[in-house]
Amino acid sequence: MRLDIDTYREIADSLVRNRSRSLLTGFGIFWGLFMLLALIGGGQGLKSMLLKNFEGFATNTAIVWESATTKPCKGFKEGRRWHMSYKDVERLRKMVPELETVTPVLSEWGITAEYGTSTASCSLKGVYADYANIESPKLKYGRYINSTDVLLERKVCVIGKRIYTSLFPEGGDPCGSFIKLGTAYYQVIGVDFNSGNISINGNADQAATVPLPVIRKIYNRGSYIDIICLTGKKGIRMSSLEERIRQILAREHYFDPTDKQALFYLNTEQVFSIMDNLFKGVNFLIWLVGLGTILAGAIGVSNIMMVTVKERTTEIGIRRAIGATPKDILSQIIMESISLTLMAGSAGIVFSVLVLQTVEKITKQSTFQINFWTAIAAAALLALLGVVAGLAPAVRAMQIKPVDAMRDE
């Protein structure tokens, strides 16, 4: 074997050709990891945006309200209207001990809020103090309705964000100011900046919350209530209480407990369960697509390394002839494979972070991003794939003998 300039030129040309193929294969690793991380970050951001609609809303809540019956019962024909009352609230508190909160709500719509020359359309929501267990307020100023307000029937209110910005465009703390809601004046005691889009009897940012007895007297609502909100104690599933609640109310108001239209029972637990199952499926699809693309790139790396070993037979033979051990050849090939996957993967991580950061700026959300440990796990996965991809080519390289390399030359 002649160690002349032509031999070294052949080795150099082989390395250049292999590097070009490696760059092409590395792009597969880069694109696969970018897709995986971008989809993970995008899925997390989308989930956070959807869950933001439920911000402040208890996950173990049930809401019940009445409607016309659709089945005859105890001599009454279908189509009969019935109404829930405050006695139903006390009845549920005593007969269903698994319930932690049982609170009624009264509502009035089409109310005009006025302060000075500023006006805003809103709805009135009459609640007890324990309604905060159903829909937690996010107070910017002041406080929420308390039991003393309810007991003394104070004309106080907590206004939503949109009402606040309409009546007080200059900003500042409005607590202590008196605003007109409909026909009566109320003192502002708090501003609720709850941004959730899922609200009871009206959106939170367009509602003025007042003590329930005040609405009851001003609007002469009598003993009837609009809805009853329920929360279960820790570990209690609201779906397990539905049948018993229907039977209790049906027995008192003479409707068929199997008549789903007579009593609507909205269980938010089911809504959250549907969302969780939806995003479990989305995450599975994300990992399937991302890992599939990465594995395809790893297979490409293995094939490239195979070609590299074949075209570098002369080089490997020379190294073996001057004293390189099989372990040296093995470590060289595997390190080249790991380096290729890590470099391409690192570029994919950086690019995915930049893309997700751009999405955050566009959507003005801070949830479209991967965390540090996800990136570390991705890098570890790439190193493992690099070892696996380079193992078969490395074994083949160890089997090359100096005599065979000289014969090929």
Side-chain angles (χ1 to χ4, degrees), residues 30 33-34 37 344-354 370 375-376 378-379 382:
F30 162 82
L33 191 62
F34 164 71
L37 296 182
S346 299
I349 292 173
V350 173
F351 188 63
S352 63
V353 169
L354 292 176
I370 58 173
I376 293 298
L382 288 174

Side-chain angles (χ1 to χ4, degrees), residues 52-302:
K52 195 172 183 180
N53 292 322
F54 297 88
E55 185 177 10
F57 204 74
T59 59
N60 63 333
T61 300
I63 305 166
V64 296
W65 68 95
E66 80 278 356
S67 184
T69 61
T70 58
K71 296 180 180 180
C73 181
K74 296 182 180 180
F76 292 98
K77 295 182 179 180
E78 67 273 11
R80 179 177 62 91
R81 298 289 306 189
W82 65 281
H83 300 281
M84 294 187 300
S85 67
Y86 296 95
K87 291 182 179 179
D88 294 321
V89 176
E90 295 302 323
R91 191 174 289 112
L92 291 176
R93 286 174 179 170
K94 293 178 181 179
M95 301 182 69
V96 189
E98 294 88 348
L99 293 175
E100 182 176 22
T101 303
V102 182
T103 186
V105 177
L106 292 179
S107 298
E108 292 289 334
W109 292 270
I111 304 297
T112 299
E114 301 178 34
Y115 180 73
T117 58
S118 301
T119 62
S121 297
C122 67
S123 61
L124 273 181
K125 185 183 295 183
V127 302
Y128 288 144
D130 58 358
Y131 181 77
N133 298 332
I134 306 295
E135 191 177 6
S136 300
K138 186 178 180 181
L139 296 174
K140 176 70 173 179
Y141 299 105
R143 62 175 179 85
Y144 198 65
I145 303 294
N146 59 33
S147 57
T148 305
D149 297 327
V150 175
L151 181 63
L152 299 181
E153 299 181 8
R154 292 171 175 168
K155 287 185 178 180
V156 295
C157 66
V158 176
I159 59 177
K161 181 179 180 181
R162 188 170 299 182
I163 302 174
Y164 167 72
T165 55
S166 299
L167 299 186
F168 303 92
E170 302 85 3
D173 187 353
C175 294
S177 302
F178 285 86
I179 64 174
K180 187 178 181 182
L181 298 173
T183 59
Y185 283 87
Y186 299 80
Q187 185 179 28
V188 178
I189 60 171
V191 179
D192 184 6
F193 266 39
N194 190 343
S195 58
N197 293 324
I198 306 299
S199 299
I200 302 172
N201 273 16
N203 203 311
D205 64 353
Q206 291 180 286
T209 305
V210 302
L212 186 144
V214 176
I215 285 187
R216 184 181 180 184
K217 283 189 175 182
I218 291 178
Y219 294 93
N220 194 23
R221 296 297 298 270
S223 61
Y224 295 149
I225 57 179
D226 294 330
I227 60 175
I228 299 177
C229 300
L230 315 166
T231 61
K233 294 180 180 179
K234 186 176 181 180
I236 299 297
R237 298 179 65 88
M238 296 304 294
S239 55
S240 64
L241 304 178
E242 179 178 357
E243 184 177 354
R244 200 191 323 173
I245 292 172
R246 286 185 178 277
Q247 290 177 351
I248 293 172
L249 296 178
R251 184 169 57 249
E252 179 64 24
H253 295 281
Y254 304 107
F255 66 86
D256 192 332
T258 63
D259 189 353
K260 301 294 184 180
Q261 299 299 318
L263 179 69
F264 287 99
Y265 187 93
L266 176 61
N267 183 5
T268 59
E269 172 191 330
Q270 295 176 348
V271 177
F272 284 97
S273 177
I274 291 172
M275 289 189 58
D276 286 339
N277 291 333
L278 172 64
F279 279 99
K280 284 180 181 179
V282 170
N283 288 335
F284 175 78
L285 183 62
I286 287 173
W287 282 97
L288 183 65
V289 173
L291 290 179
T293 308
I294 292 175
L295 288 175
I299 293 173
V301 171
S302 181

